Amino acid sequence: QQFYNAMKRKGWKPREEDMKIVLSIHNHVNDRAWSEVMRWEQMHACECDSPKLLRFMGKPKELSPKATVRTWLGYSRPFDRHDWIVDRCGKEVRYIIDFYQGAPPKAGS
């Protein structure tokens, strides 16, 4: 219910009967994003072997610097943005993840 209400607040038009699968996909995507953040953090293991998530913020209306440049070049805007702030043993590090619409299925697939 909380996720459904958040989607409505953000201007989406969710259907309650779809929420189980939508939430499952959302959780999978976030788990995958966190795995990627941790993969990048492995490059700094000599500085810090136990990074932790400090904050997570959804910023769907704010374009990241990369997304801004991509839109100037004619690419589509991301539909969502997540900022993951990691505590790397006392140093705050921000990871920005833009989410884009997938390509439409090809005819006949």
Side-chain angles (χ1 to χ4, degrees):
Q1 189 66 41
Q2 188 177 12
F3 189 72
Y4 174 80
N5 292 338
M7 285 184 73
K8 286 186 74 144
R9 221 178 20 257
K10 292 177 182 179
W12 295 96
K13 293 181 175 69
R15 297 181 333 162
E16 280 199 65
E17 60 270 18
D18 296 335
M19 292 317 301
K20 184 175 182 180
I21 190 71
V22 169
L23 187 56
S24 175
I25 292 167
H26 182 267
N27 289 341
H28 176 76
V29 168
N30 278 341
D31 288 345
R32 176 82 189 267
W34 180 245
S35 293
E36 288 297 310
V37 167
M38 290 290 88
R39 195 168 67 83
W40 281 90
E41 280 298 305
Q42 284 299 309
M43 290 187 269
H44 303 279
C46 59
E47 292 174 50
C48 179
D49 64 354
S50 57
K52 294 177 180 45
L53 181 64
L54 274 181
R55 291 185 303 285
F56 168 90
M57 294 175 284
K59 296 182 171 186
K61 298 201 181 341
E62 280 185 47
L63 288 180
S64 69
K66 181 178 179 180
T68 299
V69 171
R70 286 176 53 93
T71 58
W72 291 342
L73 296 173
Y75 292 95
S76 62
R77 296 171 58 100
F79 66 86
D80 203 357
R81 167 185 165 174
H82 292 172
D83 288 22
W84 299 70
I85 292 71
V86 172
D87 175 1
R88 188 185 293 153
C89 295
K91 178 181 179 183
E92 283 192 24
V93 180
R94 178 183 307 259
Y95 290 89
I96 299 173
I97 302 173
D98 292 317
F99 294 93
Y100 294 88
Q101 190 84 21
K106 294 185 187 211
S109 6

